[in-house]
Amino acid sequence: MGRYAIIILVILMETKSRSELRKDIMTILYQINVYENNNMAYDIDKVIKEVVEIDNEFVKEVVYGVITYKNEIDELANKYLNGWKITRLGNTDQAIIRMGIYELMYTKTPEVVAINEAIELAKAYSDDDVRKMINGVLDKVYHNK
């Protein structure tokens, strides 16, 4: 195998799908939430680098976007959580719902993709009741935007 073929192979191996990147974003948002809830100082870029070794604009856009619009995102989530507050959910669930709302409201990601990706993460990392809650909130955000 030639030198260029090896370089291309390495690049392809290091490329993650958007679904895989969303799992990384969920992990990053989880960590940031833990730091904030415990009043611990953190550097966003260092947290990102701990999870995603290769610089990725999609990851940065979503992480920084969720942090920038966190109050607005939480307000929307609370509006549709039927008597619950987002802070009552677990850190993983908060990360999933915030990322889903951010993608729905502030990106060009197709709505069905944003909702489906969040639900797939919730299926893997949340219990069934919370998954249904996340699905309901994202559906309401989508239909009322």
Side-chain angles (χ1 to χ4, degrees), residues 2-145:
R3 189 173 107 195
Y4 294 110
I6 292 171
I7 292 170
I8 291 170
L9 184 60
V10 169
I11 290 170
L12 290 175
M13 289 172 52
E14 293 176 348
T15 303
K16 291 185 173 184
S17 71
R18 287 263 171 125
S19 295
E20 293 168 321
L21 291 171
R22 284 183 180 90
K23 180 182 172 202
D24 292 341
I25 293 165
M26 176 193 73
T27 303
I28 293 162
L29 294 174
Y30 171 97
Q31 289 178 315
I32 289 171
N33 206 41
V34 169
Y35 291 141
E36 288 178 353
N37 289 341
N38 290 295
N39 297 317
M40 296 171 63
Y42 64 91
D43 178 286
I44 297 168
D45 289 323
K46 285 183 182 175
V47 177
I48 292 171
K49 283 223 183 292
E50 287 172 13
V51 177
V52 182
E53 296 169 8
I54 297 170
D55 200 35
N56 186 284
E57 286 306 310
F58 176 70
V59 171
K60 284 184 177 180
E61 176 197 346
V62 176
V63 170
Y64 276 94
V66 168
I67 291 167
T68 301
Y69 296 104
K70 185 178 175 190
N71 291 336
E72 292 88 343
I73 291 168
D74 285 4
E75 194 175 300
L76 261 179
N78 292 339
K79 179 178 177 181
Y80 298 119
L81 275 169
N82 297 330
W84 280 53
K85 297 285 183 202
I86 191 169
T87 53
R88 188 171 170 193
L89 300 174
N91 288 320
T92 301
D93 308 316
Q94 290 180 45
I96 294 169
I97 203 165
R98 285 179 178 136
M99 179 173 38
I101 291 173
Y102 174 76
E103 282 202 82
L104 280 172
M105 298 302 294
Y106 302 100
T107 71
K108 293 181 184 199
T109 302
E111 288 89 352
V112 67
V113 172
I115 293 170
N116 187 56
E117 291 285 336
I119 297 309
E120 288 302 313
L121 286 170
K123 282 181 186 175
Y125 297 99
S126 302
D127 69 33
D128 205 43
D129 290 336
V130 174
R131 180 193 56 78
K132 289 176 186 174
M133 223 184 268
I134 291 170
N135 188 26
V137 168
L138 295 178
D139 188 60
K140 289 173 185 168
V141 168
Y142 164 65
H143 282 86
N144 293 295
K145 75 180 230 185

